[in-house]
Every structure is written in C-alpha cells, then in structure tokens.
Amino acid sequence: MADRFVTVSLDKRDVHCTARLLADRAPLTCAAVWDALPLAGDVYHAKYARNEIYALFPPFASTEPPLENPTVTPIPGDLCYFSFAGAELGTKAYGYDREVRPGSTVVDLALFYERNNLLLNGDVGWVPGIVWGQVVEGLEPMAEACNDLWRTGAAGETLSFRRA
C-alpha cells in the first residue's frame, strides 16, 4: 500500500506540517483517522504531557482501535490518538467547560512538537497513546507556532487534520 499523508494545521496562525501515517505499525488507528478526515476543533496546549497540542472529537470509529504502537514517551513529530471516557476529563482541573461530559467518550488527536514528553497524569497515572503518524515536513515552523500558542494562548485557534 502506498504511503498516506495528512496535513496538520493551526488555522489562525496559518502554519502547517505534513505527516506520514504509520499504517504498518497502527493499521486500525490509521484507517479510522483516515476515514474520518477532515477533522478540526479547538486547539488545547497540554498541561501535563508538556510539548503537546491537541483537539478533542466525538468518537468517529465504529469501534475504538486497540492500543497499537503505544508510547508514554512521544518524540517530536509524533501524532498520537487517545480515547477517554468523559468522566476522566470532566473535571475543572482540565479546563474543559463544554466538550467533555461524564458518560461520553472523547477522542484526542495530538501533535508532539518538542522532546522530553511524558504521558503521566497525576490523577490517573500513565496514559499511553497510539502513535499513528510522524511529521516528515514542516515541524520547525509548527513548533514555533506551538510555543507561541503556549505563551499567548489558544483561544480562537483551530487544529485541523486533512488528507494531504
């Protein structure tokens, strides 16, 4: 099968990067994401994982992918998939006021843009993610935009995932 690519964008900042899907390592996750594209949502910057931006989505796969190609130490350029029960993220500590509710499931698509990340949450412990893509072009300008998002705020910014 030919390689597939996605474009990951911070729309308001007009910056993007290109990632290759890791279909050989996470075939079910890649298929689920690919079939759901395009996806876009409010961007958040991680509180716990460090150098991560992400958006939250309603579940889009017929069944949640298994934990294939897992990591708790994502590297720069990793695209990760997480699935959470709303009760796991539905407290004020996470800063979500409308998207996450107990009794719901939420999919988190994340981009890690710098090193020294650790998926350890003080409330629940280790939070392994599925690595489904790797940035192959444009990581440096995306990392600069992510740092700007960290310093100046995420309000009004959208994180988009589209077929390249």
Side-chain angles (χ1 to χ4, degrees), residues 2-3 13 19 29 33 53 65 71 75 78 80 84 87 93 110 112 115 132 142 145 161:
D3 285 340
R13 285 171 172 79
T29 306
V33 172
I53 61 168
T71 190
I75 62 173
D78 277 353
C80 289
F84 297 103
F112 290 84
R115 52 182 280 154
W132 61 274
M142 180 61 85
F161 299 84

Side-chain angles (χ1 to χ4, degrees), residues 26-145:
L28 299 174
T29 306
C30 288
V33 172
W34 185 259
D35 290 345
L37 295 176
L39 293 166
D42 291 343
V43 68
Y44 295 92
H45 196 287
K47 284 176 113 175
Y48 299 104
R50 206 158 165 184
N51 301 299
E52 171 196 8
I53 61 168
Y54 61 96
L56 302 174
F57 302 99
F60 47 78
S62 56
T63 58
E64 283 302 308
L67 190 58
E68 51 186 4
N69 199 30
T71 190
V72 292
T73 56
I75 62 173
D78 277 353
L79 298 181
C80 289
Y81 178 109
F82 303 90
S83 180
F84 297 103
E88 291 177 278
L89 300 180
T91 67
K92 290 187 182 226
Y94 296 99
Y96 310 120
D97 59 356
R98 64 186 185 283
E99 297 93 346
V100 182
R101 292 181 176 76
S104 64
T105 298
V106 177
V107 172
D108 168 334
L109 294 183
L111 165 67
F112 290 84
Y113 63 90
E114 186 50 79
R115 52 182 280 154
N116 297 326
N117 303 295
L118 186 62
L119 301 179
L120 180 61
N121 180 303
D123 294 336
V124 297
W126 296 105
V127 183
I130 300 169
V131 182
W132 61 274
Q134 179 64 48
V135 173
V136 294
E137 183 180 314
L139 184 58
E140 188 173 324
M142 180 61 85
E144 290 175 19

